[in-house]
Structures are given as structure tokens and as C-alpha cells.
Amino acid sequence: MFRKVLVSNRGEIAVRILRALRELEIPGVAVYSDADRAALHVRMAGEAAHIGPAPSVESYLNGRRLLEAAAAHGADAIHPGYGFLSENAAFAEACERAGITFIGPGSAAIRRMGSKTSARHIAAAAGAPIVPGTQDAVASAAEAAAVAREIGYPVLLKAAAGGGGKGMRLVHAEDELAPALRDAASEALNAFGSGEIYIEKYLERPRHIEIQVLADRNGHIIHLGERECSLQRRHQKVVEECPSPLVARNPDLRARMGEAAVRIARQAGYHNAGTVEFLADQQGNFYFLEMNTRLQVEHPVTELVTGLDLVHWQIRIAAGGPLLLRQEDIAWNGWALECRIYAEDPDNQFFPCPGRISDLEMPSGPGVRLDSGVYRGWTVPIDYDPLLAKLAVWAPSRDAAVHRMQRALGECLIAGIRTNIRFFRDLLEDERFRRGALDTGLIEDFLARGRAPATGDAGAEAAAILAAVAHTESQASNGGRVPPSVSRWLAQGRARMLR
Ligand code: ADP
């Protein structure tokens, strides 16, 4: 087992991993930037290392600094959590070279699955259905037009190196294609340093259903069933559940999707925990979308229903231990839901609203799990994703889980900042949600029906600022320079968001 593990992340996920380390009696080291000196994950860690200024390019994305901190504290492994460097093959490789275990898959598997086109090749080779489209990036607008004509509009242009919805464009007709391709390519080039774009058939109102896999270093791979993450805003997950209401009605679907996911992981040479994402139609046809080579934000719902601790298994497997679970040992019991609680204003286009938490009461009681990264009196920094906590519940049935979530949301008191708790309370009353008739357009419909139009351009501006932050971060993490004019604009934008 490891001597000591450095957790190269912040917020609720750093807290969650430090807790697992404590249970395994492995000393943990937290890291923090200037903005996080007083953060919960630092407070609860036995040891902590300062890694730089607030901007994540200079701290949580600074691989060299993280490796120095690991060496200085005598850590022989790094857990990257999710986001930041968790899917960065170069960082995983640097850890391997430094003789520090990266708690995740090998750098080669991260690289293979990190490119969406390469991942599509692997999924196809594993005999899994993939979303119709091109296997590789398109070389010209003419080629794109020919492909789109063949698969039929609407089509989705996607960045091969993509993530977070960047470099994605929906195209309804041929005359929109060439400009959309140019836009998508330049956005992708800026964000990821690669302007490669491929094409997928745009599936109308699909469901997002993903399979959790676990694989040890000896090639033993199992799946832990699905999570349904169809409740999304701007293609980003907001509420997740396990099991999927669709899969619960089609008992053989879990086995078929699970087997496909295991074949894909095997084909990728994968070890550790990973998630194979699929889009499904209402009839239960499913298509490979991408693989996330890390722990997912929404992993608690799988833990609640299977009774397994994914972070414990990640650590044991990374240390070379065998995965002692057989597929037939895995059982799914009851129903779990998770809401991502953000410091944001649902009445103003979900504008991020970090700030000081003047009062805080959070729910507990039977069937409630809270993964939180905040405490009363702490100021949520503006420098990072404003996720405050994940509220998850377990109950024997979906109906009971929804009622329990409503009870738990009702017990949340977060004063001093705006949050999306009220939005969840309303969404959970939605008739389609209650029926389990989910698809990726449900929240947009719900918002269009139920909410007054937001004022001004505040949300759009915040989204632009956050996108630009992510863009400069990924540029800098690729060794690029951030021009001073961009830094200035970002600083001004951040100041405006704070007002
Ligand atoms: P990213 O990695 O940028 O988050 P993904 O490929 O994981 O992008 O897709 C995110 C979401 O975008 C999906 O859950 C789904 O809602 C939507 N999406 C992606 N591809 C398609 C497609 N071909 N058809 C319809 N929706 C899609």
C-alpha cells in the first residue's frame, strides 16, 4: 500500500478522497492555492502543501509544482480527483517518470481515450455501437458536406480533443455547415490546441446513460451498472440517478451496455475506475459517446446503490492489488439521486455567484449523503468552478428517493450567496421527471415553460468569462502564453461577476 497520497485537487472531491485515505489509514496531503488557504479540504488534512497563486494554471494545473510538493512531503502516489489534471496524459506520464503512482489509468490509455476520434476507433474495434458519423477528423468543408448528406441533418460538429461542450456546433442544413465548421475549429484550436473536428449524427432528445467500470492491472474488468445523467443544462449534467429509469424498465439493457463498456475498457488497455458514456434512444438502442478516464462527479449514486466505495477501489488497484469483485457479486439495491449544488443564480441565467457563506445548515438523517467542500463563514472563491456540494439520497424506490431529496433540499440553508436549491425543488416537481421520461432536452423545456426570461446578458457574459478562463488555462497547461490583455480582461470580468 502507499506510504502517503497527495490529493492534487480542491473542494468537495479533495475532501471526499481525503476521507477515503483516512479510512484506509493512509496519510493524505492536501494542496492549496492562495485562494484556498482556508478551504475545508486544507482544514481537514493532516498535512497541506501550498502550490501557488489563485489562477489554476499556476496551481492546480501546474504539474511540476504538484510533483515537487509530492516529493517534499514524501508522497508516493497522487490522486487527481476529477477536472484539473485528472485526464492529462502528460501529467500521468510525468508521475510515472518520477516514480509516483498516478491513481488512475496509465498515460497510454488516457491518451488513447482522450481523443474522441481515437476513442471511437477503439469502441468500434470492441464491437460497440457508436453514434453514426466520421471515424476521423474531417479534412475539408466539402468532405464534411458529403458526410452530413449521407448521415442526414441535423449533425453535430465536435472537437476531437473536446470536453465541456467546447468546439461543439449543431448544424441543421448544408448552408450553415461551412461557417459552423470554421467556428468550431477555431474554438477547439483555442481551447485544446487542436482544431480537429469530426461529425456525429445529432440524435434528437437522447438519454445520457453511462456505465461505471472497474479494472485491475491484471486485466480483470467488471462494470457497476449505469447512471442516468440526462438532466443537463447546456450539455452539462445537473441531476444524476442510479439506476436509470429506462434501464430499470428494460432488464437486459444493463447487461448489454455493461458488456459493451467492459469490452471498450479492455480494448483501451484500461485499468482503474472509468466511465463509458452512451447516448440512448427511447427504444433502448445505445451508442458509444466517449470515455472519461477518471472518477466522475456523480460517482456517489453508484456507491449508494452498489454499496461499494469507488475511491477505496481506485487506491487498492493503483497500489497493484487485485480487484476482488466478480461481476456476479455486483448487486443494485434501491434508488439514488444526486443534485449538484452550485453558487449560481437560476433567476439570472445561472450566473455564478460565489461569495461569503454567512450561514449554513445542511441536511442529514436516513438515506442522505452530503459531499461538501464548504463551511459557514468561508468565502467561496471566484477562481474556480462554483460547485459547493453534492447532495445525494438513497431510498428503496425512485418515488421514495424523490421525496427524500425534496425533504433534504428543504433542510438546506445556505445564506449570503445565491444557489440553485430552489431550482431543484421546482424541477423535482416536473411531471415528466416524476414519470422518469427523461431526455437531454427536459431541463430546457422546463425552463422555457416555467421561468421568466432572464434579464440582460449577465449569464452570457459570465459564460464567456468562464470559457475564457478555461481556455487560457488549457493554453497555459499546454505550455502557451496568456497575453497580458487577456489576463486584464479576465480580471475585470471576475470583478464584475463579484458585484
Ligand atoms: P463533452 O465532452 O464536451 O462534454 P460529450 O461528447 O460528452 O461532450 O457530450 C455532452 C452532451 O452533449 C451529451 O450528454 C449530450 O447531451 C450532448 N451530445 C453529444 N453528442 C451528441 C449527439 N451526437 N447527439 C445529441 N446530443 C449529443
Side-chain angles (χ1 to χ4, degrees), residues 116 131-132 155-156 158-159 162-168 170 192 198 200-209 229-230 232 234-237 277-279 289-290 292 440-441:
K116 294 194 186 211
V131 181
V155 297
L156 197 59
K158 292 175 84 169
K166 282 199 284 286
M168 229 192 245
L170 176 59
F192 313 113
Y198 72 103
E200 277 180 10
K201 170 91 185 146
Y202 181 71
L203 306 180
E204 302 280 357
R205 299 190 156 275
R207 300 176 80 124
H208 175 118
I209 302 177
C229 314
S230 298
Q232 304 181 349
R234 295 185 173 163
H235 299 312
Q236 302 300 309
K237 301 160 188 168
E277 298 189 333
F278 296 97
L279 292 181
L289 184 64
E290 66 162 347
N292 288 144
T440 56

Side-chain angles (χ1 to χ4, degrees), residues 346-347 447-455:
D347 294 326
L447 288 172
R449 262 199 327 276
R451 290 190 166 258
T455 48

Side-chain angles (χ1 to χ4, degrees), residues 345-356:
D345 183 0
D347 294 326
N348 194 7
Q349 296 183 51
F350 297 86
F351 192 94
C353 292
R356 183 167 179 276

Side-chain angles (χ1 to χ4, degrees), residues 265-302:
R266 191 176 309 289
Q267 187 77 28
Y270 200 85
H271 57 78
N272 216 277
T275 295
V276 181
E277 298 189 333
F278 296 97
L279 292 181
D281 63 22
Q282 304 299 336
Q283 287 70 47
N285 301 304
F286 61 88
Y287 307 92
F288 171 76
L289 184 64
E290 66 162 347
M291 182 167 190
N292 288 144
T293 55
R294 55 168 163 83
L295 188 68
Q296 301 274 95
V297 178
E298 58 272 21
H299 75 277
V301 291
T302 298

Side-chain angles (χ1 to χ4, degrees), residues 55-138:
S56 34
V57 270
E58 296 174 57
S59 49
Y60 300 102
L61 284 169
N62 185 341
R64 191 182 45 76
R65 204 53 210 93
L66 291 164
L67 282 168
E68 282 167 10
H73 284 260
D76 51 353
I78 291 184
H79 196 308
Y82 56 71
F84 294 127
L85 293 173
S86 60
E87 293 185 282
N88 186 306
F91 179 61
E93 209 166 20
C95 291
E96 288 158 14
R97 271 202 308 273
I100 289 179
T101 304
F102 178 83
I103 301 180
S107 58
I110 298 179
R111 199 160 274 131
R112 244 173 252 138
M113 300 315 267
S115 151
K116 294 194 186 211
T117 43
S118 155
R120 279 164 71 80
H121 277 284
I122 286 168
I130 59 177
V131 181
T134 57
Q135 285 292 71
D136 294 301
V138 288

